Amino acid sequence: MTADVWLPIPPDEIEGLPEGLRYLFWDGGESGDQEFPGDPADCAVYVVPYMKRWPVKVRPLEHLTHVQVIQTLTAGVDDVTARLSAIVPGVRLCNARGVHEASTAELALTLTLASLRGIPEFVRAQQEERWRSAFHPALADKNVLIVGYGAIGSAVEDRLVPFEVARVARVARSQRTTARGPVHPLTELPSLLPEADVVILCTPLTEESRGLVDAEFLARMKDGALLVNVARGAVVDTKALLAEVENGRVMAALDVTDPEPLPPGHPLWHAPGVLISPHVGGPTSAFLPRAKRLLVDQLNRFVNQEPLRNVILTTGA
């Protein structure tokens, strides 16, 4: 029997899909209750719909009794791992490494530059038809600390280089050496924070990173430093962050928040020195061509029984 592949992109829009599989389109629909495109028991590869609510993404999981691969189109997989109990054993969970690096790194730099150079103030002044000149810090000559030095963290550093920053420090779960210099372990984070003018969060959300940016973390940041979060909202303790931005000691540029979406009336909306974008690190014109290339490569590997890329874990292992 031909195995089914559930795709959130219409199959006829993806060139290079291998033969030998039956491709079915399913993205959950506008309301999230779209009927399944076939018998879930026949689905061998489930590609998780992109930019859909969490209940939509995970709705099929308990029905995919013979699934072999779950492929996300996001770098983070915490929304799926939260439902591991619903997934049968032996399933390879793969993320979308290689898809979002360019877009997310662009946004990290955009948020950094916009915050430092006071762009939100200029936008407000323009709306009020006021010519309001001001002196703002530059990114040049600043010390930047990247927390979470994986593919996205590395892409952020690629884009920092032309801006003449004074130094880039890198932190990841484990220590290693790269062509650009050392990557420090998380245990050294407390000693690195006081030197950073800009701290950019790129770390995945894990039990280790949840609430990483707490009151102690923020207290170690220098006065006037900027925190940029393009990771996950829950990496930051929102209450602790509010305490620091409301007294004006640090600034923040957040593409992700906790809670998310940020509800009307939440104090983060109007906190001084805070710039918020609505989780748009990935959805740009760069997404679709990279997502299609990833799917074609992965499915060819699957058909040819070659090792898959980006395997995060195997359930039940």
Side-chain angles (χ1 to χ4, degrees), residues 81-307:
T81 55
R83 286 293 302 273
L84 281 182
S85 61
I87 304 172
V88 296
V91 179
R92 287 162 288 176
L93 174 62
C94 307
N95 76 353
R97 181 185 177 98
V99 172
H100 296 290
E101 285 82 345
S103 292
T104 306
E106 281 184 1
L107 184 64
L109 264 292
T110 299
L111 292 173
T112 300
L113 290 165
S115 294
L116 291 175
R117 298 299 295 269
I119 300 302
E121 298 171 28
F122 299 150
V123 172
R124 287 190 288 268
Q126 179 181 348
Q127 292 171 340
E128 298 169 3
E129 300 181 5
R130 290 187 298 111
W131 188 270
R132 185 178 178 183
S133 185
F135 188 93
H136 288 92
L139 179 55
D141 307 325
K142 294 292 188 289
N143 290 329
V144 181
L145 172 60
I146 300 174
V147 180
Y149 197 76
I152 291 175
S154 177
V156 169
E157 183 170 11
D158 289 343
R159 287 153 181 80
L160 283 170
V161 171
F163 287 88
E164 301 180 28
V165 295
R167 177 194 177 201
V168 175
R170 313 159 195 87
V171 171
R173 189 169 5 183
S174 56
Q175 184 174 1
R176 62 183 187 274
T177 301
T178 70
R180 283 215 169 102
V183 178
H184 301 271
L186 275 172
T187 53
E188 295 182 16
L189 188 54
S191 64
L192 295 169
L193 283 169
E195 301 300 320
D197 300 294
V198 179
V199 178
I200 302 178
L201 305 175
C202 305
T203 183
L205 180 62
T206 64
E207 287 309 308
E208 189 178 20
S209 66
R210 186 180 297 274
L212 174 68
V213 182
D214 57 11
E216 182 179 353
F217 181 112
L218 292 163
R220 289 182 178 275
M221 290 177 61
K222 65 165 60 174
D223 291 354
L226 169 67
L227 178 75
V228 180
N229 191 2
V230 292
R232 286 289 188 267
V235 172
V236 177
D237 180 330
T238 301
K239 183 178 179 181
L241 177 63
L242 276 168
E244 293 288 2
V245 296
E246 285 177 344
N247 67 23
R249 204 184 68 78
V250 300
M251 300 188 302
L254 312 171
D255 185 48
V256 287
T257 60
D258 184 25
E260 187 177 304
L262 199 63
H266 195 283
L268 263 181
W269 283 120
H270 301 289
V274 175
L275 171 61
I276 297 172
S277 59
H279 203 153
V280 291
T284 72
S285 58
F287 166 73
L288 202 55
R290 287 163 176 77
K292 290 178 180 179
R293 287 199 294 268
L294 171 67
L295 294 177
V296 169
D297 180 61
Q298 288 286 68
L299 290 168
N300 273 284
R301 288 171 175 272
F302 178 76
V303 166
N304 295 319
Q305 299 183 16
E306 298 173 353

